[in-house]
Amino acid sequence: MAIRKICPECGQQYATRPAVSRKDRKEICPDCGTKQALDTVRDLLGPEMTDQQWEGYKSGVLKRSREGQHGQNTL
């Protein structure tokens, strides 16, 4: 039986390998880890995007990642 953990960032349960927060080095869920990583490179990937567009982009990346569709940046 997989051990379920609760992410301190979003409060969701997860049972997969954790990510390490770039903010405080605590273990967080993989989705929050991906979001933090994307925020780190926002100036390179989407400098002209509004905050709303950027959140939509991150959601799309997470969705494709969960579906196993890794690939090129599609900005």
Side-chain angles (χ1 to χ4, degrees), residues 1-72:
M1 182 174 177
I3 297 173
R4 291 224 172 266
K5 299 174 187 172
I6 297 177
C7 177
E9 285 284 311
C10 67
Q12 296 295 316
Q13 286 189 4
Y14 66 99
T16 57
R17 181 184 223 173
V20 176
S21 173
R22 293 167 185 265
K23 297 176 188 175
D24 56 16
R25 309 290 298 157
K26 293 182 181 176
E27 288 186 348
I28 57 176
C29 72
D31 284 355
C32 285
T34 300
K35 288 177 186 177
Q36 284 185 9
L38 288 170
D39 284 340
T40 300
V41 296
R42 180 178 180 178
D43 289 342
L44 298 172
L45 294 178
E48 290 103 27
M49 287 186 185
T50 65
D51 288 344
Q52 185 176 5
Q53 289 171 324
W54 183 248
E55 291 302 318
Y57 174 75
K58 288 193 302 186
S59 294
V61 168
L62 289 172
K63 181 179 177 188
R64 288 188 303 276
S65 175
R66 284 187 215 111
E67 294 171 352
Q69 299 174 2
H70 305 286
Q72 296 287 33

